[in-house]
Amino acid sequence: MMVILRSRHLLYQTALFFSIVILVVIALRTSTVQDSISRFKANHADTVLGDDEGTPHPKYKPTPSYTPPAITDPFPALATSTPPPIPSYNVPEKDGWKKYGLSVAPPLVIGFTRSWPMLLQAVVSYITAGWPPEQIYVVENTGMQQANARGQLSLQHPWYLGHAALKKLGVHIIQTPVLLTFAQLQNFYLSLSYTHEWPYYFWSHMDVLALGHENGFENLTPRAGEPGYKTLYTLSLEELNRTLATDDRWGLRFFAYDHLTLQNPRAIEDINGWDTLIPYYMTDCDTYTRLHMRNWSQVDANCGVITDTSVALDNLLALYRDPKVTPKFTDPNPPPPKEDEERTKQRREVLTDPVEYWKSLIRVADSMFHYKHGDRGRNTWQAGQHGGQGEPFYYDGAGFTEALEVLTEAGKEVYRRKWGHRDCDLVKGGGLKFEDQWRVLPDW
Ligand SMILES: *[C@@H]1O[C@H](CO)[C@@H](O)[C@H](O)[C@H]1NC(C)=O
Ligand SMILES: *[C@@H]1O[C@H](CO)[C@@H](O)[C@H](O)[C@H]1NC(C)=O
């Protein structure tokens, strides 16, 4: 009996033991499955549509408390008519460049990614300063494929480019096949020099306002209208001619810092192009220093007043010196700069005199420069267009700006690793030479 009881007890205990083991195994397996489910969810957070607690809710950034007003077309007249004549004293002589023994009419290349009013201002300012429109090439680098060419984007779309308006102005439009970074765009210019057989080209930024020395400039030109007056274009041709005649290792010529640059494609070719792994800032340090290391000359020259701006004139007819138009700009992020507006208003009565008109343009350009570099923020213009949602190739404007900052930082890190030096002074500060790229350790 005892034996039976014992054995039954044993049997009972054994059964209990195995039940516990099975329960533990089940529990362990369940937790393993649950672990792996949560691991999967963590890894695929954006693809899991729901869980026990319901649908996940993304956290949105706060809605901006202020949205700048919609931008306005700074040259509405272009939609209905051809552009007016440019100031008579700036009209270029037909085929004037041929006098300089040049083989090719000097092209001016202006790259564009976003902020149409700024680009239109830059192009119109070069034309009204005497640059022949057929020698201007706007490079559409928007990533918008054919959307702009087909007129599918609205003015408020950040990547809007008015093909029809540019054609009316008589300039060329070249499209990059895909969105390029700054360094890639520069290499694209080099490729254009092969396609078009350019032995030289000028390139400028899309956010400048160019004006000739219409008030005269010592040792360069008398005033506009006086005998011997030289336009911005004429002075650029003279510099090109002088450069080609006197310097067989010319790399580039800088006008007004680098707001306008005369580039020798042979020099860029010699240094193997711009480094596309340094896509934005510091890539100029990298390129210009490598040109210097290879003995390509870089000299400052002067052809006019080329101002770096962040806003466009309210009405670009001011650049045609339309006496009915007062040169002024409106702050895209109000409050408006009252002082400047008042100053330009006070000048309204004198605007029939060409040099006075030019002076008022210079004053406005100057306040635009201070606006850009003052506390209003350097690149506020990049956030000026807020529409275009739902249109082809729409991309969030603020997101684009933020992404560029990330790429810029990455490029700076590439630069530091490439040269083992953090600043722009690679030769003086780092003692580096052309062959040292990627072969040195950090010097800090
Ligand atoms: C071009 O440069 C050469 C050499 O400096 C000079 O002799 C010539 O007069 C220049 N041509 C023009 C049209 O200025
Ligand atoms: C650059 O000029 C220096 C000094 O004249 C010379 O030693 C060097 O070989 C030159 N380098 C090139 C690439 O021409």
Side-chain angles (χ1 to χ4, degrees):
M1 188 68 185
M2 279 304 280
V3 174
I4 295 169
L5 265 180
R6 263 219 192 122
S7 64
R8 282 190 71 175
H9 185 69
L10 191 67
L11 192 69
Y12 175 73
Q13 273 193 334
T14 310
L16 190 65
F17 174 77
F18 278 112
S19 319
I20 287 168
V21 166
I22 287 165
L23 279 175
V24 166
V25 167
I26 288 172
L28 276 173
R29 294 205 52 168
T30 311
S31 83
T32 313
V33 168
Q34 224 125 57
D35 278 357
S36 63
I37 287 174
S38 42
R39 263 203 310 277
F40 173 82
K41 283 186 182 172
N43 291 341
H44 299 83
D46 49 350
T47 52
V48 173
L49 293 176
D51 62 18
D52 299 342
E53 288 92 45
T55 320
H57 296 289
K59 287 201 188 88
Y60 290 96
K61 296 173 183 172
T63 327
S65 56
Y66 170 71
T67 314
I71 65 147
T72 54
D73 179 355
F75 202 164
L78 264 192
T80 51
S81 57
T82 49
I86 72 164
S88 56
Y89 43 82
N90 281 343
V91 173
E93 201 184 316
K94 188 168 176 355
D95 292 335
W97 57 273
K98 289 188 175 160
K99 283 201 311 208
Y100 298 85
L102 300 171
S103 54
V104 169
L108 168 58
V109 182
I110 304 176
F112 171 80
T113 293
R114 53 179 177 162
S115 291
W116 161 249
M118 308 287 303
L119 172 84
L120 190 55
Q121 169 169 271
V123 169
V124 168
S125 74
Y126 276 110
I127 293 174
T128 52
W131 209 290
E134 68 277 10
Q135 290 163 32
I136 297 178
Y137 295 78
V138 171
V139 175
E140 178 186 352
N141 178 43
T142 57
M144 294 293 116
Q145 298 290 339
Q146 295 308 309
N148 275 314
R150 293 180 189 148
Q152 291 176 310
L153 305 187
S154 68
L155 181 63
Q156 302 306 322
H157 192 297
W159 286 269
Y160 170 85
L161 180 73
H163 278 238
L166 290 177
K167 281 183 187 142
K168 268 199 179 153
L169 289 169
V171 303
H172 303 269
I173 305 170
I174 295 177
Q175 294 172 277
T176 57
V178 293
L179 179 66
L180 306 177
T181 65
F182 178 77
Q184 289 170 330
L185 187 62
Q186 290 294 334
N187 285 343
F188 182 70
Y189 295 169
L190 176 63
S191 82
L192 291 178
S193 79
Y194 302 127
T195 311
H196 298 273
E197 297 184 47
W198 293 336
Y200 37 74
Y201 56 88
F202 289 85
W203 72 271
S204 185
H205 298 269
M206 51 137 309
D207 56 350
V208 299
L209 174 60
L211 293 162
H213 286 305
E214 297 175 19
N215 195 27
F217 197 97
E218 215 184 335
N219 299 326
L220 276 183
T221 174
R223 278 178 164 219
E226 288 178 9
Y229 165 70
K230 291 169 183 169
T231 66
L232 177 144
Y233 177 65
T234 303
L235 288 172
S236 303
L237 286 174
E238 283 194 356
E239 183 59 46
L240 173 58
N241 176 46
R242 183 166 40 247
T243 298
L244 296 177
T246 60
D247 184 356
D248 57 10
R249 205 154 172 96
W250 73 278
L252 35 83
R253 296 293 179 266
F254 290 123
F255 300 85
Y257 308 104
D258 68 341
H259 298 166
L260 173 68
T261 302
L262 168 61
Q263 180 68 61
N264 182 355
R266 278 196 305 129
I268 296 295
E269 184 185 84
D270 178 66
I271 60 158
N272 311 325
W274 289 65
D275 187 339
T276 54
L277 297 173
I278 310 172
Y280 297 98
Y281 295 90
M282 295 307 270
T283 201
D284 49 349
C285 281
D286 177 85
T287 297
Y288 297 151
T289 310
R290 286 186 296 122
L291 285 174
H292 174 66
M293 288 166 165
R294 300 272 306 156
N295 293 349
W296 295 98
S297 69
Q298 302 173 48
V299 179
D300 284 319
N302 185 350
C303 67
V305 185
I306 306 171
T307 313
D308 169 28
T309 72
S310 64
V311 282
L313 291 162
D314 291 347
N315 191 338
L316 293 178
L317 286 177
L319 293 172
Y320 294 88
R321 321 304 145 94
D322 185 328
K324 296 184 293 296
V325 173
T326 304
K328 66 181 179 66
F329 71 96
T330 308
D331 187 340
N333 286 324
K338 285 199 186 73
E339 197 196 314
D340 297 322
E341 270 199 343
E342 272 157 23
R343 261 197 283 160
T344 50
K345 265 180 201 142
Q346 285 161 10
R347 305 272 168 179
R348 192 181 282 273
E349 73 281 6
V350 295
L351 294 181
T352 45
D353 177 75
V355 168
E356 288 305 321
Y357 204 120
W358 177 88
K359 283 183 183 168
S360 72
L361 280 170
I362 288 286
R363 270 192 300 274
V364 174
D366 194 49
S367 29
M368 284 161 128
F369 174 84
H370 288 291
Y371 177 81
K372 177 168 184 176
H373 296 274
D375 56 359
R376 304 298 296 165
R378 192 173 144 80
N379 286 328
T380 43
W381 57 273
Q382 290 175 343
Q385 285 150 298
H386 296 272
Q389 290 86 347
E391 294 177 16
F393 297 97
Y394 175 75
Y395 198 95
D396 185 87
F400 186 78
T401 305
E402 195 171 329
L404 289 195
E405 283 164 13
V406 174
L407 294 179
T408 298
E409 279 310 311
K412 287 179 180 173
E413 180 62 17
V414 172
Y415 177 93
R416 287 189 285 266
R417 294 185 189 209
K418 178 178 179 179
W419 294 106
H421 191 72
R422 289 182 286 196
D423 304 312
C424 201
D425 60 340
L426 298 174
V427 177
K428 272 213 180 92
L432 292 153
K433 54 186 191 301
F434 190 82
E435 293 73 23
D436 292 335
Q437 309 173 52
W438 289 109
R439 299 180 60 220
V440 288
L441 292 169
D443 66 0
W444 66 89

